[in-house]
Amino acid sequence: MYFGTCFANCFNYWIKQRFLYWRIQNPWQNDDAFDFCHNIKSINIPKEITKIGNGAFYCCSNLVQIHHSCELTSLGEGAFDETLWLNNQPDGCVYFGNHLYKYKGKMPENTSIEVADGTISICHHAFENCKNLGFGAANNAAA
C-alpha cells in the first residue's frame, strides 16, 4: 500500500502518526510522507526501518533532532532538505548513518572528496551544482 503525499502540509502530527501506525507497515519509505509538517521537531526512527523515501521530511522546517538506531539500505534524495537538522550540520559532506546525504555549502574550486570507509550509498543529487569535483577511492563505497 502506498500513500505518497497523503500527509503533506498536515499540521497535526499526532493524527499522522496514529494513521500511519494503524495503516502502513513502514510509513518512512513513502515519498513526501511528512513533507511540509512544520510542527515536527524531533523524530525517532525505529530500528526496523530500512528505507526512507524521497522528500520524506522535506521542508519540516522545525525538525531539529533525528534519533535512529536503524541500518538503512536506502535514503531518498531530499529526505531532510529544508530542516533545522540539515541547517545545523557543518558545511561539507553530510552523512546520515552510512549514507553520504549531500554536500552542504559552497564547494571551493578543485575540491577533492574522499568518501568515508563504510559508506553504503551516495544519495541522488548529493553533489548537485558542485563544480570541479574529484573523488578519492574508499573501501566498500558504493555510488
Side-chain angles (χ1 to χ4, degrees), residues 5-54:
T5 62
C6 64
F7 291 110
N9 296 308
C10 178
F11 293 101
N12 193 327
Y13 180 63
W14 185 87
I15 290 173
K16 268 190 175 186
Q17 285 295 88
R18 291 295 130 226
F19 179 80
L20 292 171
Y21 174 78
W22 291 322
R23 303 286 293 188
I24 306 172
Q25 181 181 7
N26 182 357
W28 312 93
Q29 71 185 359
N30 294 322
D31 294 346
D32 307 313
F34 296 94
D35 64 344
F36 293 94
C37 290
H38 302 292
N39 290 337
I40 298 175
K41 295 179 181 176
S42 176
I43 56 173
N44 293 306
I45 302 172
K47 67 179 181 176
E48 298 82 18
I49 300 304
T50 59
K51 177 183 176 186
I52 296 178
N54 297 328

Side-chain angles (χ1 to χ4, degrees), residues 86-137:
L86 182 59
N87 289 348
N88 290 338
Q89 302 302 311
D91 284 353
C93 290
V94 175
Y95 283 83
F96 186 83
N98 291 334
H99 301 269
L100 199 165
Y101 178 62
K102 70 171 25 199
Y103 188 90
K104 180 180 175 234
K106 184 174 178 168
M107 181 180 283
E109 289 191 30
N110 300 317
T111 295
S112 179
I113 299 293
E114 182 109 3
V115 176
D117 286 341
T119 299
I120 61 173
S121 76
I122 299 172
C123 293
H124 290 274
H125 302 282
F127 296 103
E128 186 172 25
N129 299 319
C130 294
K131 311 263 188 229
N132 300 318
L133 176 62
F135 280 95

